[in-house]
Amino acid sequence: MTVPMTITEKILAAHSACDSVRPGQIVNAVIDLIVAHEVTTPPAVNMLAKMGISRVFDPSRVVVTPDHFVPNKDIQTAELTRQLRRWVEEQGIENYYELGDHGICHALIPERGHILPGQTAICGDSHTTTLGAFGAFATGVGSTDLAATLATGELWFKVPETMRFNVSGALPPGVYSKDLILYIISRIGVDGARYRAMEYHGSCIETLSMEARMTICNMAVEAGAKTGIIEADQTAVEYVRARSDKDFTVYVSDEDAEYAAALDIDASSLEPVVALPHLPSNGRFIGEVEPVSIDQAYIGSCTNARIEDLREAARILKGRRIARGVRAIVVPATSAIWRQALKEGLFEIFSEAGCVVSTATCGACLGGHMGVLGRRERCISTTNRNFVGRMGHPEAEVYLASPATVAASAVAGCITDPRVFLNADPMTVEAAPFQDDIHVGVS
Amino acid sequence: MGRLIRGRAHVFKRANINTDEIIPARYLTAHDEAELALHAMEDISRDFVSRVRPGDLIIAGGDFGCGSSREHAVWALRGAGIAAIVADTFARIFFRNALNNGFLAIECAGLAEITSDGDDIELDLDAGAVRNHTTGASRLFTPLTPFALELLEAGGLLPYVAQRRGVGSPNA
C-alpha cells in the first residue's frame, strides 16, 4: 500500500531513495540545483578550502550570479564579487551571469530555465522559496550547508509538515498576489509556518501567472516556512518548456495526504494590503491604514520586480507625477526584465513620472545600496521584510505593499489605495497636495 | 558524560528577534567573526557587545533568528563571546546554522520570562534541564537529538562530515 504524501514529501522521498517519507524524518537528499551569490558563497568557498576540498561535486548543477551589492558598492563588495568570479573560473562553472546579464538570483533562475518541476534546490539565501512556484522543493540555507552541498551534492533535511492554503475566487482589480501573501502572513504570523511547507491550492492560484505565483512562494519564509510550493500545472509547464529542454517529473499531492493545518481564503473578498512596520505580519487592509506621508517609494527585489510588477506600476504612473518630497526608485529584478521594460516603453513612463531606474540588484531591500533610508525616513516598498533597520537606519520605517500600491502612494505622497488611480483617467485625478509633516525632510 | 554549560544571561524577551537585528545587512561585507561581533545586536541594544563576557548566554523569546539565511548572525554572536542561546523557539535557518557551526541552540519555552539580565544560568544537556542559580528556578527542555549532539561535538557540519568521510550524509 502506498503512503499518501504531499508534493514536498514526494520530492524529498524521490531525492533520498525512499519509497515514502513522513514529517519529522531526517533524509539526506540529492540536490539538483545550487544557486550562489556574492554574499553567502565566499564564506562557503573559504570553508571548502579549509577542509581541503578543491572541487565542486558537479559544476553543472551550480548557477552563479552576483546580485546583492552589484554593481560593487565599495571595496569590500568588489572583493566579494572578485572572489566569486575567481571561484567560478577555477571550478569551471558555466552558468555564471555577469553584470549586464545578471539578476536577483531568485528571479534569474526561472527566467533562464534553471529550475524544473520536481527538483530540489538550495541557495544561501532565505528567499529561495520563490522557486517553489514551479512545483520544486526549494529552500534557503546558510553558508555551511551551501559548502556541504557544493562538496557532496547532497544535504540533510527534516521532512517538514505541510500547511495547505486553499485560495478560491478571483483577486479583485487592484488586488494582487502580493496582497494575498501579506494577508496570509497577517493571519498566521511570522512564525505561523515555522519549519513547515506552505502549499497553495485553489481556483485563484490556478489563474495566477508564474510571476504572481513566485511572489507568493517568495514570502513563505516570512511566515517562517521551509518552503512554499505550488503544483506545477499547465501554466508552469509551459513556462518551463519555453526555457528548458530537460526532462522533469511533476509531483502532485495525494488526495488523502496529511496536512498539519489548512486555511481557506476567498480571494474575491480581499483588498490591497499594507504591512506596517516592523513585521511582515503587520498586514492591514488599505482602508484601515492611515494615509501617512512617505519619503521614498521602492519598486524592486526578488518579491515584486518582475515585468508584470513593472507594468502594474507603470499603469498607475503613466501621465502622472511623483509627489513633491518623494523619491521613487524602480529596480527591475533581472537584466532581461530591464531590457523588456525598456522595449515596452516603461522606462519612459517611469522617468517622466519622476522615478529613477536602476540596474538589477537586491540593493536597498536589505539596506545595501541604491536607496538606503536615513533616520526617521519612511518608505513604502514592494520588498519582503520591514524589520527594524532592514532598509537602513534603525529608526526608519518600511511599509510593504504591492507595486500598484507603492506607485499610487508615490503619486499621492502618502500611503494610498491604488484603486483610486486604476479606476480613473490620469487627467481627472489630482495627486494629493504635499504635506509637510514631521516625517518629511527631517535631517 | 556531564555536559554542563554555565554563564551569565542576556535576556531578549521579545519574540521574532530577526537576523537584521542580530547583524544588520550593512555589515555583511565581512565574514570574520571578530569583525562581525563588533556590531552584534547593535540596532536593538547599543551596548550589548560591551556587556558580553566570553561564555555568556542569550535567553530569548520565540522565533529567535527569523529572517534571512545569513550565517553571519551565528558568527557575530559567537564572535561576541556568546556560548549558547536558549529561546522559546528558533527560526529554522538560524537553528540549522547554529548546529552546523557547533553552536548550542536550545529550545526551552518560558525561560526568558523567569530570567533577568545577569542571572547565573546552567544548562544540563544530558538531563535536558536549565537552572537559574540566581533565583533557584528551573525548567526542562527536550534534549537535543543524538544527531544534533554529534554535530555539536564534532564542532559543526563540516568537521562532522570530514570525520565521517562520507561527506554530507548524517547517516553515512
Side-chain angles (χ1 to χ4, degrees), chain A residues 200-331:
Chain A
Y200 309 99
H201 289 270
S203 55
C204 173
I205 304 295
E206 287 160 20
T207 60
L208 296 178
S209 67
M210 291 318 296
E211 283 82 355
R213 295 180 194 188
M214 282 190 251
T215 302
I216 294 177
C217 291
N218 171 277
M219 288 194 72
V221 69
E222 307 315 334
K226 178 175 269 182
T227 189
I229 199 160
I230 297 172
E231 286 177 5
D233 60 3
Q234 195 57 32
T235 307
V237 168
E238 278 170 16
Y239 182 103
V240 170
R241 274 281 159 257
R243 292 162 176 82
S244 173
D245 53 12
K246 291 188 181 147
D247 292 332
F248 55 81
T249 309
V250 171
Y251 294 94
V252 297
S253 292
D254 291 320
E255 291 282 321
D256 49 353
E258 268 184 47
Y259 292 91
L263 187 63
D264 294 325
I265 294 158
D266 175 7
S268 66
S269 70
L270 297 183
E271 292 180 35
V273 180
V274 176
L276 313 188
H278 293 282
L279 281 177
S281 57
N282 283 343
R284 306 275 189 282
F285 286 135
I286 189 101
E288 301 158 21
V289 179
E290 290 286 314
V292 293
S293 65
I294 54 164
D295 303 293
Q296 181 167 299
Y298 187 86
I299 298 170
S301 86
C302 55
T303 308
N304 270 136
R306 285 172 277 269
I307 192 69
E308 276 187 5
D309 300 318
L310 303 185
R311 286 180 192 140
E312 285 304 317
R315 268 178 73 192
I316 286 174
L317 294 171
K318 188 170 185 177
R320 298 194 172 98
R321 283 286 300 175
I322 303 303
R324 189 177 146 243
V326 176
R327 294 110 51 185
I329 303 169
V330 181
V331 190

Side-chain angles (χ1 to χ4, degrees), chain B residues 5 7-8 11-13 30 43 52-53 59 67 77 84 86 95 100 102 108-109 112 124 142 146 150 167:
Chain B
I5 287 159
R8 286 190 320 152
V11 182
F12 293 89
K13 282 201 169 73
D43 284 354
V52 175
R53 294 201 300 253
I59 313 296
L77 293 176
V86 185
F95 183 73
N100 280 345
C108 178
D124 183 332
T142 308
E150 281 179 44
V167 178

Side-chain angles (χ1 to χ4, degrees), chain B residues 9-13 51 57-60 111-113 115-118:
Chain B
H10 297 268
V11 182
F12 293 89
K13 282 201 169 73
R51 286 189 286 116
L57 310 175
I58 284 178
I59 313 296
L111 185 66
E113 283 304 316
T115 308
S116 304
D117 273 333

Side-chain angles (χ1 to χ4, degrees), chain B residues 97-116:
Chain B
N97 286 343
L99 289 188
N100 280 345
N101 277 275
F103 184 71
L104 190 57
I106 299 281
E107 290 192 331
C108 178
L111 185 66
E113 283 304 316
I114 57 160
T115 308
S116 304

Side-chain angles (χ1 to χ4, degrees), chain A residues 28 43 46-47 51 77 124-125 139 141-145 152 155-156 190-191 194-195 226 366 385 387 390, chain B residues 16 18 20 25 29 31 43 63 67-71 75 89-90 92 95-97 100 157-158 167-170:
Chain A
N28 199 39
N46 294 346
M47 289 174 198
M51 282 181 73
T77 57
D125 195 294
T139 194
V141 298
S143 299
T144 299
D145 279 327
T152 67
L155 193 60
W156 68 271
V190 286
D191 59 355
R194 211 170 51 91
Y195 278 91
K226 178 175 269 182
L366 77 162
R385 290 192 179 126
F387 296 143
R390 172 71 180 176
Chain B
N16 319 121
N18 60 76
D20 281 303
T29 53
H31 41 257
D43 284 354
D63 199 30
S68 107
S69 70
R70 63 189 72 155
E71 207 158 310
W75 301 330
T89 55
F90 288 95
R92 62 162 283 274
F95 183 73
R96 198 175 165 107
N97 286 343
N100 280 345
L157 180 65
L158 294 177
V167 178
S169 166

Side-chain angles (χ1 to χ4, degrees), chain A residues 22-26 157-161:
Chain A
R22 307 287 303 157
Q25 212 175 323
I26 288 180
F157 294 103
K158 192 164 86 177
V159 178
E161 294 180 316

